[in-house]
PDB file of all heavy atoms in Angstrom:
ATOM      1  N   ILE M 385      38.165   5.254 -10.853  1.00 96.00           N
ATOM      2  CA  ILE M 385      38.118   4.779 -12.132  1.00 96.00           C
ATOM      3  C   ILE M 385      37.655   6.019 -13.177  1.00 96.00           C
ATOM      4  O   ILE M 385      36.569   5.950 -13.540  1.00 96.00           O
ATOM      5  CB  ILE M 385      37.290   3.601 -12.374  1.00 96.00           C
ATOM      6  CG1 ILE M 385      37.184   2.673 -11.159  1.00 96.00           C
ATOM      7  CG2 ILE M 385      37.460   2.739 -13.574  1.00 96.00           C
ATOM      8  CD1 ILE M 385      36.068   1.657 -11.062  1.00 96.00           C
ATOM      9  N   PRO M 386      38.565   6.768 -13.423  1.00 95.00           N
ATOM     10  CA  PRO M 386      38.150   8.037 -14.125  1.00 95.00           C
ATOM     11  C   PRO M 386      37.379   7.665 -15.502  1.00 95.00           C
ATOM     12  O   PRO M 386      36.469   8.426 -15.863  1.00 95.00           O
ATOM     13  CB  PRO M 386      39.458   8.769 -14.569  1.00 95.00           C
ATOM     14  CG  PRO M 386      40.385   8.292 -13.374  1.00 95.00           C
ATOM     15  CD  PRO M 386      40.069   6.934 -13.076  1.00 95.00           C
ATOM     16  N   SER M 387      37.735   6.527 -16.077  1.00 94.00           N
ATOM     17  CA  SER M 387      36.967   6.264 -17.332  1.00 94.00           C
ATOM     18  C   SER M 387      35.481   5.812 -17.103  1.00 94.00           C
ATOM     19  O   SER M 387      34.825   5.725 -18.077  1.00 94.00           O
ATOM     20  CB  SER M 387      37.786   5.097 -18.144  1.00 94.00           C
ATOM     21  OG  SER M 387      37.640   3.898 -17.432  1.00 94.00           O
ATOM     22  N   MET M 388      35.114   5.484 -15.833  1.00 95.00           N
ATOM     23  CA  MET M 388      33.788   5.055 -15.567  1.00 95.00           C
ATOM     24  C   MET M 388      32.954   6.192 -14.870  1.00 95.00           C
ATOM     25  O   MET M 388      32.045   5.810 -14.152  1.00 95.00           O
ATOM     26  CB  MET M 388      33.747   3.773 -14.949  1.00 95.00           C
ATOM     27  CG  MET M 388      34.282   2.565 -15.915  1.00 95.00           C
ATOM     28  SD  MET M 388      34.255   0.956 -14.911  1.00 95.00           S
ATOM     29  CE  MET M 388      32.522   0.472 -14.833  1.00 95.00           C
ATOM     30  N   GLN M 389      33.387   7.380 -14.890  1.00 95.00           N
ATOM     31  CA  GLN M 389      32.687   8.333 -13.976  1.00 95.00           C
ATOM     32  C   GLN M 389      31.809   9.256 -14.903  1.00 95.00           C
ATOM     33  O   GLN M 389      31.966   9.158 -16.144  1.00 95.00           O
ATOM     34  CB  GLN M 389      33.771   9.295 -13.370  1.00 95.00           C
ATOM     35  CG  GLN M 389      34.477   8.486 -12.262  1.00 95.00           C
ATOM     36  CD  GLN M 389      35.771   9.342 -11.761  1.00 95.00           C
ATOM     37  OE1 GLN M 389      35.955  10.386 -12.176  1.00 95.00           O
ATOM     38  NE2 GLN M 389      36.465   8.601 -10.851  1.00 95.00           N
ATOM     39  N   GLY M 390      30.907  10.009 -14.366  1.00 88.00           N
ATOM     40  CA  GLY M 390      30.063  10.829 -15.036  1.00 88.00           C
ATOM     41  C   GLY M 390      28.677  10.224 -15.386  1.00 88.00           C
ATOM     42  O   GLY M 390      28.534   9.085 -14.856  1.00 88.00           O
ATOM     43  N   GLY M 391      27.945  10.827 -16.223  1.00 83.00           N
ATOM     44  CA  GLY M 391      26.690  10.181 -16.670  1.00 83.00           C
ATOM     45  C   GLY M 391      26.902   8.993 -17.526  1.00 83.00           C
ATOM     46  O   GLY M 391      28.044   8.723 -18.026  1.00 83.00           O
ATOM     47  N   GLY M 392      25.930   8.143 -17.759  1.00 86.00           N
ATOM     48  CA  GLY M 392      25.935   7.029 -18.658  1.00 86.00           C
ATOM     49  C   GLY M 392      26.559   5.892 -18.113  1.00 86.00           C
ATOM     50  O   GLY M 392      26.730   4.785 -18.845  1.00 86.00           O
ATOM     51  N   TRP M 393      26.878   5.830 -16.927  1.00 88.00           N
ATOM     52  CA  TRP M 393      27.598   4.546 -16.322  1.00 88.00           C
ATOM     53  C   TRP M 393      26.718   3.886 -15.267  1.00 88.00           C
ATOM     54  O   TRP M 393      27.207   3.125 -14.469  1.00 88.00           O
ATOM     55  CB  TRP M 393      29.053   4.934 -15.681  1.00 88.00           C
ATOM     56  CG  TRP M 393      29.967   4.844 -16.820  1.00 88.00           C
ATOM     57  CD1 TRP M 393      30.475   5.925 -17.458  1.00 88.00           C
ATOM     58  CD2 TRP M 393      30.541   3.691 -17.326  1.00 88.00           C
ATOM     59  NE1 TRP M 393      31.383   5.502 -18.427  1.00 88.00           N
ATOM     60  CE2 TRP M 393      31.552   4.099 -18.331  1.00 88.00           C
ATOM     61  CE3 TRP M 393      30.361   2.285 -17.117  1.00 88.00           C
ATOM     62  CZ2 TRP M 393      32.212   3.146 -19.164  1.00 88.00           C
ATOM     63  CZ3 TRP M 393      31.060   1.409 -17.855  1.00 88.00           C
ATOM     64  CH2 TRP M 393      32.008   1.810 -18.912  1.00 88.00           C
ATOM     65  N   HIS M 394      25.446   4.339 -15.080  1.00 88.00           N
ATOM     66  CA  HIS M 394      24.600   3.636 -14.228  1.00 88.00           C
ATOM     67  C   HIS M 394      24.192   2.163 -14.607  1.00 88.00           C
ATOM     68  O   HIS M 394      23.793   2.044 -15.670  1.00 88.00           O
ATOM     69  CB  HIS M 394      23.244   4.371 -13.912  1.00 88.00           C
ATOM     70  CG  HIS M 394      22.389   3.778 -12.844  1.00 88.00           C
ATOM     71  ND1 HIS M 394      22.479   4.146 -11.565  1.00 88.00           N
ATOM     72  CD2 HIS M 394      21.445   2.867 -13.030  1.00 88.00           C
ATOM     73  CE1 HIS M 394      21.574   3.334 -10.906  1.00 88.00           C
ATOM     74  NE2 HIS M 394      20.944   2.582 -11.582  1.00 88.00           N
ATOM     75  N   GLY M 395      24.395   1.213 -13.606  1.00 90.00           N
ATOM     76  CA  GLY M 395      24.109  -0.073 -14.222  1.00 90.00           C
ATOM     77  C   GLY M 395      24.749  -0.700 -15.202  1.00 90.00           C
ATOM     78  O   GLY M 395      24.211  -1.675 -15.941  1.00 90.00           O
ATOM     79  N   LYS M 396      26.015  -0.276 -15.598  1.00 92.00           N
ATOM     80  CA  LYS M 396      26.797  -0.772 -16.661  1.00 92.00           C
ATOM     81  C   LYS M 396      28.146  -1.438 -16.094  1.00 92.00           C
ATOM     82  O   LYS M 396      28.986  -0.617 -15.573  1.00 92.00           O
ATOM     83  CB  LYS M 396      27.102   0.336 -17.716  1.00 92.00           C
ATOM     84  CG  LYS M 396      25.876   0.513 -18.509  1.00 92.00           C
ATOM     85  CD  LYS M 396      26.385   1.372 -19.707  1.00 92.00           C
ATOM     86  CE  LYS M 396      25.102   1.921 -20.542  1.00 92.00           C
ATOM     87  NZ  LYS M 396      25.365   3.204 -21.275  1.00 92.00           N
ATOM     88  N   PRO M 397      28.289  -2.702 -16.249  1.00 94.00           N
ATOM     89  CA  PRO M 397      29.597  -3.127 -15.812  1.00 94.00           C
ATOM     90  C   PRO M 397      30.618  -3.156 -16.913  1.00 94.00           C
ATOM     91  O   PRO M 397      30.278  -2.967 -18.049  1.00 94.00           O
ATOM     92  CB  PRO M 397      29.176  -4.690 -15.634  1.00 94.00           C
ATOM     93  CG  PRO M 397      28.143  -4.985 -16.550  1.00 94.00           C
ATOM     94  CD  PRO M 397      27.398  -3.657 -16.714  1.00 94.00           C
ATOM     95  N   ALA M 398      31.909  -3.160 -16.414  1.00 95.00           N
ATOM     96  CA  ALA M 398      33.005  -3.258 -17.490  1.00 95.00           C
ATOM     97  C   ALA M 398      33.251  -4.704 -17.611  1.00 95.00           C
ATOM     98  O   ALA M 398      33.277  -5.517 -16.643  1.00 95.00           O
ATOM     99  CB  ALA M 398      34.103  -2.499 -16.859  1.00 95.00           C
TER     100      ALA M 398
END
Side-chain angles (χ1 to χ4, degrees):
Chain M
I385 321 161
S387 69
M388 291 176 75
Q389 292 169 2
W393 274 101
H394 182 91
K396 282 193 190 158

